[in-house]
């Protein structure tokens, strides 16, 4: 039950079955449809739908990977981070977006690197991010390291399950479940009594679904 939500489910029924031209109209709209309550989420959904439009959709998203509109830029880059589309150009977009002085852009790029199984950050840089004041960034850096250094996955996640950072405990639960690390099942079970509600629920779901 991963925190990494790449299987994107549409929240806006009006987008179902939209044509390529309709998606472009929505992307470029100054005034958003009345049924939209979040521009960022709306752009994410349009970007996701564009990835289903073949080469034309991918080319269109690439044209926004350096755009001055921050929301459009990170939506485009986020959904280009897919093994079906990744090339040197996409990797460059990811690196440039990660370099922005913005927590959200760094977070999305880290998810992207994990998704495409590319790990360009130095170990020192990733470990520095594990000490970030933002709990989710810290936890995501832990997940990144657990994928970047597979020989150390067990120890990294075991430490994460007992971290004082509740998001590290939560993300480690998901990683253990998704990757079927049976040797850490007891550690996840102990988190059913965790002080953090989200950690308890994540542990419960992973034990029920991944360790039946």
């Amino acid at each position: 039950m991963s925190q990494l939500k790449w299987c994107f489910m549409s929240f806006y029924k009006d987008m179902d079955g939209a044509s390529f031209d309709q998606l472009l109209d929505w992307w470029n709209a100054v005034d958003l449809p009345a049924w939209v309550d979040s521009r960022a989420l709306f752009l994410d959904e349009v970007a996701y739908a564009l990835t289903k439009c073949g080469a034309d959709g991918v080319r269109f998203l690439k044209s926004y990977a350096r755009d001055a509109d921050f929301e459009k830029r990170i939506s485009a880059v986020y959904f280009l981070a897919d093994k079906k589309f990744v090339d040197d150009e996409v990797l460059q977009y990811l690196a440039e977006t990660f370099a922005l002085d913005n927590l959200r852009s760094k977070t999305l790029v880290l998810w992207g690197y994990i998704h495409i199984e590319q790990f360009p950050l130095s170990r020192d840089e990733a470990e520095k991010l594990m000490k970030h004041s933002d709990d989710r960034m810290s936890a995501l850096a832990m997940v990144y390291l657990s994928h970047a250094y597979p020989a150390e996955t067990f120890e990294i996640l075991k430490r994460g399950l007992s971290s004082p950072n509740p998001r590290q405990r939560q993300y480690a639960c998901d990683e253990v479940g998704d990757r079927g690390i049976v040797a850490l099942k007891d550690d996840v079970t102990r988190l059913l009594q965790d002080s953090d509600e989200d950690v308890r629920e994540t542990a419960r779901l992973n034990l029920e679904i991944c360790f039946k």
Side-chain angles (χ1 to χ4, degrees):
M1 299 298 292
S2 177
Q3 298 292 314
L4 185 53
K5 305 301 184 185
W6 287 101
C7 184
F8 208 79
M9 300 297 290
S10 178
F11 294 104
Y12 297 121
K13 294 297 182 185
D14 305 64
M15 199 172 292
D16 291 347
S19 68
F20 180 64
D21 287 341
Q22 177 63 76
L23 293 171
L24 297 191
D25 286 346
W26 278 332
W27 182 270
N28 293 316
V30 175
D31 297 317
L32 298 178
W35 38 269
V36 172
D37 54 11
S38 165
R39 181 174 187 262
L41 177 59
F42 180 66
L43 289 172
D44 278 350
E45 294 215 35
V46 176
Y48 174 73
L50 284 165
T51 67
K52 304 302 180 184
C53 294
D56 287 342
V58 172
R59 276 194 297 271
F60 181 81
L61 290 176
K62 283 185 173 183
S63 74
Y64 279 86
R66 294 188 175 110
D67 200 72
D69 184 322
F70 177 74
E71 295 291 351
K72 287 184 176 180
R73 176 178 182 171
I74 61 173
S75 289
V77 172
Y78 180 63
F79 286 100
L80 286 170
D82 188 297
K83 287 182 179 180
K84 297 189 296 291
F85 317 130
V86 70
D87 55 19
D88 289 344
E89 193 174 11
V90 170
L91 291 175
Q92 183 62 34
Y93 295 148
L94 286 165
E96 291 171 1
T97 305
F98 184 82
L100 298 175
D101 187 18
N102 181 280
L103 179 63
R104 186 176 174 209
S105 63
K106 290 184 185 298
T107 299
L108 293 180
V109 170
L110 272 189
W111 278 132
Y113 282 145
I114 294 166
H115 183 60
I116 61 176
E117 297 181 333
Q118 297 276 340
F119 307 105
L121 302 187
S122 70
R123 181 157 192 153
D124 285 347
E125 188 172 10
E127 289 181 343
K128 182 178 178 180
L129 289 173
M130 275 190 68
K131 300 174 184 176
H132 198 283
S133 59
D134 182 84
D135 284 354
R136 293 187 184 279
M137 172 57 80
S138 170
L140 182 55
M142 174 203 68
V143 174
Y144 177 95
L145 284 164
S146 77
H147 286 269
Y149 299 94
E152 301 174 40
T153 296
F154 180 90
E155 290 302 327
I156 290 170
L157 295 180
K158 186 174 179 63
R159 288 194 299 272
L161 291 168
S162 60
S163 169
N165 175 354
R167 300 291 72 79
Q168 280 201 26
R169 300 196 300 275
Q170 182 184 6
Y171 285 27
C173 276
D174 271 335
E175 290 297 310
V176 169
D178 289 348
R179 294 152 86 171
I181 305 176
V182 178
L184 289 174
K185 180 181 177 182
D186 288 346
D187 298 73
V188 173
T189 300
R190 282 192 284 274
L191 294 180
L192 292 171
Q193 307 302 320
D194 197 86
S195 59
D196 184 277
E197 181 179 0
D198 290 336
V199 174
R200 294 196 302 272
E201 180 65 7
T202 301
R204 183 186 67 80
L205 288 172
N206 278 283
L207 288 167
E208 288 182 1
I209 296 172
C210 302
F211 293 111
K212 293 180 180 179

